Amino acid sequence: MTIGIYFATTTGKTEDIAERLHGLLSNCNSPKDLADLSDLNEFNNLDAIICGIPTWNTGADYERSGTAWDAMLEEIGGLNLHGKRVAIFGLGDSSTYTENFCDAMEELHSFFKKAGATMVGYVRTSDYTFDDSKSAIGELFCGLPLDEDGESDLTDDRLIRWAEALKKEIPGLT
Ligand SMILES: Cc1cc2nc3c(=O)[nH]c(=O)nc-3n(C[C@H](O)[C@H](O)[C@H](O)COP(=O)(O)O)c2cc1C
């Protein structure tokens, strides 16, 4: 069982969360910065992938993250990831950017889906205060939103619960 954690970041918060998540899971590879990844075919050698993505391009339909993920979306969509579980966590700010909270998660989610991955790690929107988000699909976010700008006191609890949920949804993850 080989499970990878990948992140991209502008001010370091998504990297910090990737490290904290790694500490809650016993058999994941160390988090990798997407900016240092030369070949996305690395994903083909994994059984499951956990991805961290912040939102910087407020209100954008395309390239919402503003990080290295944006340039790789099309390539991700062209991979064959059938049979692999993929989970996404997103960094955002639910009060300052309350109309676009963690919008980038959904864009990444759609390209992994296009690649045939089985998407896991959805969480209830009712646990958050925000006005709108492209990542909210009905009553669920298509990943785990985290707000280190205004709600950092809630992050530990959210991460612990998500890690436990992933252990049920990703076979072999402990
Ligand atoms: C100029 C700017 C634009 C932002 N746009 C959004 C946004 O549209 N939606 C959101 O949820 N957060 C937004 N944020 C908040 C960042 O996503 C948040 O600070 C995040 O933790 C940054 O992660 P990073 O340090 O890994 O880059 C924005 C922040 C700034 C400064």
Side-chain angles (χ1 to χ4, degrees):
M1 195 73 200
T2 315
I3 302 165
I5 302 178
Y6 294 84
F7 66 89
T9 184
T10 297
T11 59
K13 289 176 184 143
T14 310
E15 178 171 13
D16 176 58
I17 296 297
E19 296 291 349
R20 286 159 69 181
L21 181 65
H22 182 245
L24 295 170
L25 302 168
S26 56
N27 61 344
C28 278
N29 295 344
S30 294
K32 277 197 185 177
D33 190 333
L34 204 70
D36 300 330
L37 189 72
S38 54
D39 187 359
L40 272 185
N41 281 313
E42 184 169 321
F43 288 173
N44 291 318
N45 302 324
L46 298 169
D47 297 299
I49 307 164
I50 302 172
C51 303
I53 182 167
T55 298
W56 281 88
N57 288 337
T58 311
D61 284 329
Y62 306 106
E63 304 191 347
R64 298 174 200 164
S65 173
T67 67
W69 283 115
D70 292 345
M72 301 197 175
L73 294 171
E74 292 292 342
E75 201 183 333
I76 290 170
L79 297 172
N80 179 356
L81 300 178
H82 284 90
K84 298 182 195 298
R85 303 282 206 279
V86 173
I88 296 171
F89 64 90
L91 271 284
D93 178 338
S94 59
S95 54
T96 309
Y97 300 97
T98 191
E99 296 285 343
N100 297 94
F101 181 43
C102 285
D103 275 1
M105 282 200 303
E106 190 276 334
E107 194 178 18
L108 190 56
H109 177 272
S110 70
F111 281 94
F112 272 112
K113 257 189 107 160
K114 196 171 167 196
T118 301
M119 305 307 295
V120 298
Y122 294 8
V123 306
R124 286 197 310 259
T125 55
S126 56
D127 293 341
Y128 294 80
T129 305
F130 66 104
D131 282 343
D132 204 2
S133 172
K134 293 183 176 72
S135 300
I137 303 167
E139 295 183 348
L140 294 175
F141 280 113
C142 59
L144 173 73
L146 295 169
D147 178 353
E148 283 287 89
D149 296 307
E151 295 184 333
S152 59
D153 52 321
L154 300 178
T155 297
D156 272 340
D157 198 46
R158 285 171 170 167
L159 265 182
I160 289 166
R161 273 190 283 140
W162 199 58
E164 290 311 306
L166 291 187
K167 288 175 191 173
K168 296 194 180 99
E169 291 183 282
I170 299 179
L173 178 65
T174 55

